[in-house]
Every structure is written in C-alpha cells, then in structure tokens.
Amino acid sequence: MDDLQRARDAAVAEDKHLFVKNHTFYVWEPASLSQSMWGGEMARPFAVLPGQGIGGSASTTRTNPTFFPDDFITSWQPVFLIRHPALTFESWYRAELRVEPIDINLKSWNYLTTFQYSRQLYDWFMSNCSNEDCEKENDSVTMGKPRPVVIDADDVIDGKAMSKLCEVCGMDPEHIRYEWEESRPSNTRGANPREVSYLSGIWDSTTIDKSKSSQGLDVAAKYDQWKEEFGIVAADVLYTKVKSAMPDYEYLKSRKL
C-alpha cells in the first residue's frame, strides 16, 4: 500500500496517469476469499488502511469485497479486462505446467478459474451510482463515483477497445503503440521460473498476436485438444470450469465498452 501511494503521489505531481494492473482475487478480502474456496466459519475480515497521501482516506468504511476501504477504492477508475474462460484457463494451466506438475483438482486453484470475483466487484461499483447514470455508456464518473469499465480481450486484439478506453480515462489515443521492440532480459538465468513462463510471450513479442482471439472458438474442439495436450482428467476439469465460468463472463461481456 505504501509503494502504491508513493507511485500515485508521484504520478499526480508530474501530471501523469498511473496504470495499476492486478488480478481481482489478489485484492480480495482474505477471509472471504478463503471461505469461498474452503468453506467453514468466516474468519475476522481484514482491511488495509491507506495513509493521508493523494487518495488516502481517514475513512475505514468497507462495504466492497476487497481489503481496501470504500473511499480509497472509489478514488480509482476501475477497468475490468475479461477474456473467454476457455482461453484464460488453458493459458494459466499451460503456464503453470511449464514450471512444475500441478494437481488441477486442488481447491487452491479455484480462485484462478472463475470470474465470480470480477463480477462481484463490478456489481459493487455499479451499486454506487444511480441506474440512470450508470446506463450512460460514455461516462466514466457518475454521482462522484467511478463507473466501472469492461473491455474484452478480443476488442483489444482487433484494436476496437484501446481508443475508447483512452478517451474514458482522459488519455490521448495518439500515444497508443501497436508495435515495439522485444524486451526479453539479457540474462534470465536464476530468474523465477514462473515469471519466465508467464512473461516469455510478452518479452518476445513485437506486436499484438491476433491468433489469441476467441473469435470462432469451439469449446468442444478445445476439449478434444486438451485431452491430447493435458490428458483426460485435466481436460474434464478445464471443461467443467469453463462451463461454470461462462455465465459470469457473458454477464460482464454484455456490459463491455
């Protein structure tokens, strides 16, 4: 939290935008996250209280599902990036397998194979503005609160989303880059194997990989592919998790930018 606030204060002082990326479940209130995975009695809730820097707040009220107080989390513009569950879960599982064998049935992985947390947080943000104002598609702020923005990975890949996102966030679309140089570190020996597994594709890229789109995706065909690549047990679990996640994904997708 201290590092986040320092970065934010510095960005504001320099009249810049600060983009912070994280997975929703990484900022989820820990007791609630644990209970949703393991069940049992609910432990005492945990919250992180920011200081008095820019965006800091003396309020400790927390009705949102993260460990941030309401005043702090609503001082940011929320952007939800979604992607078809079949591609999301497949990518996660493949990246983990490059590091070490894993048991896909472990409950510990449940938070990585669901869209429920993003949907719940999206709904919480929407509950903070009136129905009339929240229906205004081009407004990023309503009733003094940030309106959550949803973008689908397919729209990033085909270029439809980024200009709109910049406009909503008050940024200049002219600065969007569609090509770049490779950024692989000169020496990855001794690097965290999981970091290498997840970031190699980004390091080696020079432009957007349009093959990553879900356009025309056939989940049944994916299931057959998973059986060949991962085996029948993992394929069955992935297929079940994808089916379970689709309603939340479709819900968010119907509200995309």
Side-chain angles (χ1 to χ4, degrees):
M1 174 62 87
D2 291 341
D3 289 343
L4 177 61
Q5 285 195 266
R6 278 193 289 268
R8 183 176 187 171
D9 290 350
V12 172
E14 297 175 19
D15 195 28
K16 294 182 177 179
H17 286 77
L18 176 65
F19 182 85
V20 180
K21 181 264 181 187
N22 213 332
H23 292 293
T24 310
F25 48 77
Y26 281 153
V27 297
W28 212 252
E29 195 285 307
S32 177
L33 180 65
S34 178
Q35 205 275 339
S36 72
M37 288 193 300
W38 302 100
E41 283 190 40
M42 183 73 176
R44 170 186 277 185
F46 172 85
V48 176
L49 303 180
Q52 294 302 302
I54 297 172
S57 171
S59 172
T60 59
T61 300
R62 188 186 66 81
T63 64
N64 76 85
T66 76
F67 52 63
F68 294 122
D70 292 353
D71 284 357
F72 181 77
I73 197 170
T74 56
S75 67
W76 295 81
Q77 170 63 60
V79 179
F80 292 87
L81 174 63
I82 59 172
R83 189 186 186 203
H84 194 289
L87 298 180
T88 304
F89 302 165
E90 169 194 78
S91 177
W92 156 76
Y93 186 60
R94 186 179 291 122
E96 288 293 336
L97 284 180
R98 287 196 292 260
V99 180
E100 60 184 2
I102 67 170
D103 182 357
I104 196 173
N105 285 298
L106 285 179
K107 288 185 177 180
S108 303
W109 299 117
N110 285 351
Y111 64 91
L112 287 159
T113 51
T114 180
F115 281 63
Q116 64 170 307
Y117 305 115
S118 292
R119 178 173 179 172
Q120 289 178 40
L121 186 55
Y122 172 87
D123 283 344
W124 181 85
F125 274 109
M126 290 297 288
S127 72
N128 278 270
C129 54
S130 70
N131 291 334
E132 180 181 352
D133 284 336
C134 282
E135 290 173 357
K136 296 178 181 178
E137 295 183 359
N138 295 321
D139 288 348
S140 62
V141 179
T142 58
M143 303 285 286
K145 303 292 185 179
R147 182 185 188 278
V149 174
V150 179
I151 54 175
D152 188 87
D154 288 348
D155 293 337
V156 175
I157 291 172
D158 68 17
K160 293 179 180 178
M162 298 313 297
S163 292
K164 293 180 181 178
L165 180 62
C166 285
E167 291 169 3
V168 167
C169 295
M171 299 162 68
D172 187 351
E174 292 297 320
H175 294 294
I176 298 174
R177 295 180 63 182
Y178 295 97
E179 295 182 348
W180 50 85
E181 300 294 327
E182 291 185 16
S183 59
R184 177 174 283 272
S186 57
N187 184 5
T188 58
R189 293 180 62 184
N192 184 314
R194 181 166 281 104
E195 180 178 344
V196 173
S197 180
Y198 276 94
L199 295 181
S200 291
I202 298 176
W203 290 338
D204 296 338
S205 70
T206 58
T207 188
I208 295 172
D209 184 352
K210 295 186 181 297
S211 71
K212 300 295 185 179
S213 172
S214 70
Q215 296 297 322
L217 186 147
D218 183 337
V219 176
K222 270 290 179 190
Y223 174 62
D224 290 336
Q225 176 190 321
W226 295 335
K227 286 190 290 185
E228 291 291 326
E229 183 177 359
F230 305 131
I232 185 65
V233 174
D236 284 347
V237 175
L238 283 172
Y239 185 79
T240 299
K241 289 181 178 294
V242 167
K243 288 295 185 182
S244 296
M246 284 303 295
D248 290 334
Y249 169 70
E250 294 290 355
Y251 174 87
L252 291 168
K253 185 177 180 179
S254 69
R255 290 154 175 80
K256 69 176 184 176
L257 191 66

